[in-house]
Amino acid sequence: MRGVVSSLGALARRLQPFLLRGAMFLLAGFLIFLSLNVIFPLPPPPEYSTIILDHSGDMVHAFLTTDEKWRFKTELHEVSPLLRKTILHKEDKYFYYHPGVNPVSVLRALVMNALRGKRTSGASTITMQVARLLEPRRRTYVSKIIEMFRAFQLEWKYTKDEILQLYLNKIPYSGNIEGVKSASWLYFNKNPDHLSLAEITALSIIPNRPTSLKPGERNDLITEERNRWLLRFEKDGLFDKTVIADALAEPLTVSRKPAPRYAPHFSYRVRNLYKKDIIQTYLQLQTQQKIEKLVSDYVTPLRALNIHHAAVVVIDNRTHGVVAYVGSADFFDQTDGGQVNGAAAVRQPGSTLKPLIYGLCMDAGLLTPKQVITDVPININGYAPENFDSKYNGYVTVEFALENSLNIPAVKSLHALGKDVMIEKLIACGFGQIKARKEHLGLSLALGGCGATLEELTALYSVLANEGRYLPIRFAKTTDTSSGYLQILSHSAAFMITEILAKTTRPDMPASWMSSAHTPRIAWKTGTSYGRRDAWSIGYNRNYTVGVWVGNFSGEGVPELTGASIATPLLFKIFNTIDYNSTAKWYEMPRECGIRLVCSATGMPPNEFCHATVMDYFLPLVSPNTICTHEISVAVSADEKISYCKNCLPPAGYKEKLYPNILPEMQRYYDENHIAYVRIPPHNPDCEIISQNQAPQIVFPVNGTEYLISKNNPEPLQLKCNTPSDVHEVYWYINDRLLQKSKAGAAMFFTPAEGEQKISCTDSKGRTTHIRITVKYVDY
């Protein structure tokens, strides 16, 4: 025994130098490999076609790579056990056991090639094939050595499954098709994990002879080669005989199919947003195709009116995902701008921002739905808006103003709120153009004097649909599952606006629309941009928010183009298609919202003289709570020809009488339109107390403004003021010199001199207001 041990020890001592040299050789080889790996890094992974999936995972649209290849990325979970088993048995049985190069296969190939004097076996593993596919070269022995080095690099960098995935994504098929998934979709119209054994075998043999084995052209030859391999699988015991028999009996009816190209505007938008290989979205393909057909059919007769384009965005309020998105009536119409995306184009939003204005005013304690405001001509620092129909309505409620989309009340409300409050809310809701130009925006914002997209407006109305909460619209299902949102409006304000917008007695209700018990109830608002270039209609309910734009991409206006008559019928058609016979409940009044009795004349809590009352929503501790003053008690003489204040009230010979408390601007409106109203008698001329708080208010010209007047054709400036109802005459002064006496509220004109001008207005009680303007004469 000692002799055996002694012999083994001697052998070990003799082998030690060789083992040491071997270890040093291996270490040196490894270090050389690491150095070469740094000096000659692997080529980058292949670029993949962008694939857009709908909400259920079905392919919606696919894009070519920059090198014009159909290369769909096969994910590891799409590699079925059947596919893996077939590919590995055919291409590389020992894939999971060798380090990238199979030395037994290399030795066998060298012997076979040497014996036969030519290359009959390549000994390429799947890893080596990946190296060749990533870096194509001519087939030489030098190329083979480089492939082996690249194979070691691949094994060093990737797992075996990742290498198999690269192989399945790069194997070439006929034409510009690469990868199993591309071939599976473009030949069999299915995902690779749904392929049968016969289909997998057919796809596995085509890369060996992609030129001669073209699906659709040589199906007979492919079938013959497929069956040969199936019988080989049976001989090798890879699959059961019955499985092989079923595969042999399966006919091959394969042909080249076009790549999916559904929802093109949506797909391009999503691809540009996310820059990923596979993008799963919230799109509902069936809904998308229905709305595409609706839009196309709807626009066709409108072309006779010179209206050519439309766009639609549909948001599911439960997920806030975009379930349908149409950028034009026909994407493939290259003669009429079909590829322009109207849903993402910046346009003037018209009156679509008014609901947000009124909602913010309600939250600020400025308005309630039944509160009465004035719809009369105004001039705010030189801005004098008009209503859409150039008419005025006098006293109106807030809900009437919103229902009828009146411009004057909206502008006055925005002025009272402060435009900066509105602008910040819109920026928070993702309005990019408003953020970029916020320093240049004014009160015209209320009437669409800004830029907005259909995407932005639809997302804004989803705020009303989601109890005042804003969440950016979602195109794709991402790993970010955060539910953070911004509270743009209170729940109560959103509810009050919704109740106004849901009324079916509005003038913008489509005249031809026949409502039924199954028609979904919606709240909606229309808008028409300046020059009738854009028609909008945006509606919502519990389930969906739908935005519709109709117009011309060229910006050409059309007299017949309005939101009510052109865009709203399409909105109702869409809701009737996607939400017909809906079971969703309508919005309920929040607990924070209250109901109170108000005077119908002002919308304020009633006074003792208020006899006509109505119920109104309000925000407790927020909404205005001033008692109604639509009438005031005035001390007048017995013949009602003179009124008294408390300072000149006689000891006897007078009486108290209620008079309408009419605002100065309404008095002027009544006077200009020859509408009779009850005036408070003139104040006691013998009164020595003058209330400067009731001095005339000069509404035009605007104080501090510079006016440019043409030298060649000078136009006079208008003088206009508002006065209390007991004032009948005013006196106008220019630079402290009397110009003329006029009736209170009447407009006057004068031609000013150049330079700074002081303008004064004095009423019959001696109360005076002064303003200053600058006049400059110019050549034009």
Side-chain angles (χ1 to χ4, degrees):
M1 186 69 180
R2 291 178 181 175
V4 173
V5 173
S6 177
S7 299
L8 289 175
L11 178 62
R13 286 191 295 273
R14 286 196 297 270
L15 291 177
Q16 186 174 3
F18 297 100
L19 293 173
L20 183 60
R21 290 191 191 97
M24 292 179 65
F25 177 78
L26 290 175
L27 178 61
F30 179 66
L31 292 175
I32 291 171
F33 168 75
L34 291 180
S35 301
L36 292 175
N37 187 50
V38 174
I39 298 171
F40 303 104
L42 280 168
E47 174 196 358
Y48 294 106
S49 299
T50 299
I51 297 173
I52 311 298
L53 307 178
D54 71 358
H55 75 292
S56 61
D58 293 330
M59 192 179 298
V60 172
H61 202 108
F63 295 90
L64 285 165
T65 61
T66 53
D67 58 350
E68 300 294 315
K69 300 287 187 182
W70 292 114
R71 191 183 297 122
F72 301 168
K73 185 177 182 180
T74 307
E75 298 287 4
L76 287 172
H77 65 83
E78 296 174 313
V79 181
S80 65
L82 184 63
L83 175 62
R84 185 190 300 264
K85 188 176 182 180
T86 305
I87 293 295
L88 291 181
H89 186 83
K90 181 177 178 296
E91 297 294 332
D92 191 351
K93 298 177 184 177
Y94 304 101
F95 172 70
Y96 282 99
Y97 304 101
H98 60 67
V101 176
N102 189 337
V104 176
S105 297
V106 172
L107 183 61
R108 185 184 68 246
L110 288 173
V111 172
M112 294 292 292
N113 293 345
L115 291 175
R116 299 185 181 182
K118 61 180 181 178
R119 188 174 65 86
T120 60
S121 178
S124 289
T125 62
I126 284 179
T127 311
M128 292 172 65
Q129 291 184 60
V130 171
R132 184 168 62 250
L133 291 169
L134 290 175
E135 202 173 39
R137 298 174 183 275
R138 292 183 60 189
R139 295 198 174 191
T140 64
Y141 286 108
V142 174
S143 297
K144 186 64 68 175
I145 293 172
I146 294 174
E147 285 174 18
M148 292 179 181
F149 170 70
R150 291 300 194 194
F152 288 128
Q153 285 183 295
L154 287 166
E155 296 280 348
W156 178 258
K157 183 174 182 179
Y158 299 107
T159 65
K160 283 290 187 179
D161 284 342
E162 289 171 338
I163 293 171
L164 178 61
Q165 183 184 18
L166 279 171
Y167 172 75
L168 293 175
N169 284 325
K170 279 291 291 179
I171 49 178
Y173 290 86
S174 50
N176 61 343
I177 300 175
E178 287 187 4
V180 168
K181 188 170 183 176
S182 305
S184 178
W185 271 102
L186 298 178
Y187 292 143
F188 296 106
N189 197 31
K190 62 177 70 173
N191 230 33
D193 54 354
H194 289 76
L195 293 171
S196 66
L197 175 59
E199 292 166 340
I200 290 172
T201 307
L203 288 182
S204 70
I205 62 175
I206 295 173
N208 301 126
R209 296 157 57 188
T211 303
S212 59
L213 297 177
K214 284 189 177 181
E217 297 181 13
R218 299 303 307 273
N219 285 357
D220 54 341
L221 189 59
I222 296 173
T223 302
E224 180 183 336
E225 189 69 11
R226 179 202 70 178
N227 292 345
R228 186 175 69 83
W229 272 98
L230 286 171
L231 292 172
R232 186 169 175 178
F233 292 157
E234 181 183 12
K235 180 180 178 182
D236 294 344
L238 188 64
F239 297 107
D240 187 82
K241 288 184 177 182
T242 56
V243 174
I244 296 296
D246 290 340
L248 289 169
E250 185 175 318
L252 184 68
T253 57
V254 65
S255 62
R256 172 70 181 266
K257 299 173 179 61
R261 299 190 67 187
Y262 304 116
H265 281 112
F266 175 82
S267 299
Y268 276 96
R269 183 83 171 96
V270 169
R271 183 188 68 166
N272 295 335
L273 277 175
Y274 293 95
K275 310 288 186 183
K276 293 169 62 179
D277 300 324
I278 300 174
I279 307 170
Q280 184 165 8
T281 69
Y282 290 91
L283 191 80
Q284 297 175 7
L285 186 55
Q286 188 175 10
T287 301
Q288 170 75 19
Q289 291 174 323
K290 287 179 180 178
I291 294 178
E292 284 180 356
K293 183 69 164 56
L294 273 177
V295 172
S296 178
D297 292 346
Y298 188 78
V299 168
T300 298
L302 292 181
R303 291 193 171 100
L305 299 175
N306 196 30
I307 301 171
H308 296 268
H309 305 109
V312 174
V313 174
V314 181
I315 298 173
D316 186 330
N317 292 328
R318 293 154 292 192
T319 64
H320 222 67
V322 176
V323 298
Y325 186 103
V326 179
S328 71
D330 183 3
F331 177 86
F332 301 102
D333 183 2
Q334 298 184 2
T335 63
D336 198 17
Q339 296 186 8
V340 175
N341 186 356
V346 177
R347 317 285 298 193
Q348 285 190 342
S351 298
T352 55
L353 300 180
K354 289 175 181 174
L356 180 62
I357 295 174
Y358 290 118
L360 292 173
C361 286
M362 290 174 181
D363 278 335
L366 299 174
L367 298 173
T368 61
K370 290 289 195 304
Q371 189 169 333
V372 174
I373 52 181
T374 59
D375 177 32
V376 295
I378 59 171
N379 189 307
I380 304 175
N381 297 327
Y383 179 54
E386 295 182 348
N387 285 326
F388 185 75
D389 58 3
S390 299
K391 297 178 181 179
Y392 303 94
N393 299 273
Y395 285 120
V396 296
T397 62
V398 169
E399 62 182 7
F400 181 90
L402 183 53
E403 289 171 16
N404 292 267
S405 197
L406 302 179
N407 291 343
I408 306 299
V411 172
K412 292 177 67 176
S413 299
L414 180 60
H415 181 58
L417 174 70
K419 67 178 180 64
D420 291 338
V421 176
M422 176 78 168
I423 289 171
E424 290 306 316
K425 291 292 185 180
L426 290 173
I427 292 174
C429 290
F431 281 69
Q433 188 73 5
I434 288 177
K435 181 179 181 179
R437 295 185 53 82
K438 64 179 181 179
E439 302 298 334
H440 306 283
L441 298 175
L443 294 178
S444 62
L445 177 68
L447 312 183
C450 58
T453 68
L454 182 60
E455 290 178 13
E456 294 167 346
L457 289 170
T458 309
L460 178 65
Y461 275 73
S462 71
V463 169
L464 297 170
N466 288 281
E467 302 176 350
R469 297 181 298 236
Y470 170 76
L471 191 69
I473 59 175
R474 294 169 172 168
F475 288 94
K477 295 183 178 181
T478 62
T479 55
D480 180 15
T481 57
S482 61
S483 57
Y485 57 82
L486 292 174
Q487 194 75 39
I488 301 300
L489 294 174
S490 69
H491 186 180
S492 298
F495 169 76
M496 288 188 280
I497 294 297
T498 297
E499 286 298 288
I500 297 172
L501 296 181
K503 292 185 177 181
T504 57
T505 56
R506 292 159 41 181
D508 56 354
M509 180 76 178
S512 59
W513 186 256
M514 297 300 294
S515 180
S516 71
H518 301 289
T519 301
R521 184 182 181 187
I522 67 170
W524 82 99
K525 178 71 182 75
T526 63
T528 307
S529 68
Y530 178 77
R532 304 201 178 201
R533 296 180 175 91
D534 308 278
W536 307 86
S537 192
I538 308 173
Y540 60 93
N541 61 13
R542 283 284 189 188
N543 293 333
Y544 299 101
T545 301
V546 179
V548 173
W549 170 87
V550 182
N552 292 310
F553 291 149
S554 63
E556 181 180 358
V558 178
E560 294 82 5
L561 186 64
T562 66
S565 62
I566 298 297
T568 301
L570 178 56
L571 175 76
F572 275 68
K573 286 176 180 288
I574 292 171
F575 265 107
N576 218 33
T577 298
I578 65 176
D579 205 32
Y580 186 74
N581 201 18
S582 173
T583 58
K585 293 182 179 180
W586 191 246
Y587 299 93
E588 297 180 353
M589 187 181 79
R591 288 182 299 175
E592 300 80 11
C593 185
I595 299 179
R596 66 183 180 183
L597 193 69
V598 297
C599 175
S600 61
T602 60
M604 305 303 292
N607 209 323
E608 58 184 10
F609 49 74
C610 298
H611 304 296
T613 56
V614 294
M615 302 303 295
D616 189 20
Y617 296 114
F618 78 111
L619 294 173
L621 304 179
V622 176
S623 297
N625 203 34
T626 306
I627 300 299
C628 175
T629 57
H630 82 275
E631 288 186 346
I632 55 174
S633 179
V634 180
V636 296
S637 60
D639 59 2
E640 300 182 7
K641 292 184 178 180
I642 295 176
S643 61
Y644 302 103
C645 65
K646 63 181 179 178
N647 297 292
C648 65
L649 188 67
Y654 73 92
K655 61 181 179 180
E656 295 284 341
K657 184 177 180 180
L658 289 175
Y659 284 87
N661 187 13
I662 303 175
L663 297 173
E665 60 186 21
M666 283 302 299
Q667 295 176 40
R668 178 163 53 85
Y669 169 74
Y670 288 152
D671 291 338
E672 290 178 350
N673 290 274
H674 308 290
I675 300 174
Y677 64 98
V678 178
R679 287 179 176 270
I680 297 175
H683 192 67
N684 180 13
D686 298 327
C687 181
E688 297 180 356
I689 303 299
I690 297 175
S691 176
Q692 194 62 33
N693 291 335
Q694 293 183 334
Q697 178 188 3
I698 300 175
V699 295
F700 202 85
V702 178
N703 188 33
T705 303
E706 181 182 58
Y707 290 90
L708 304 180
I709 298 178
S710 171
K711 290 181 179 179
N712 301 323
N713 186 26
E715 293 185 1
L717 285 181
Q718 184 184 57
L719 297 174
K720 185 179 287 189
C721 69
N722 290 334
T723 61
S725 60
D726 60 345
V727 173
H728 299 276
E729 294 179 334
V730 295
Y731 300 83
W732 290 98
Y733 295 83
I734 306 298
N735 295 324
D736 298 324
R737 296 183 63 180
L738 178 64
L739 175 67
Q740 192 172 339
K741 180 178 74 172
S742 71
K743 290 183 178 181
M748 285 189 55
F749 296 89
F750 81 109
T751 303
E754 190 166 21
E756 186 177 294
Q757 306 289 317
K758 177 184 177 183
I759 300 176
S760 306
C761 183
T762 303
D763 64 16
S764 54
K765 297 184 179 182
R767 297 172 297 200
T768 304
T769 300
H770 308 282
I771 66 167
R772 294 183 182 274
I773 65 171
T774 302
V775 177
K776 183 182 292 186
Y777 281 83
V778 295
D779 294 316
Y780 67 86

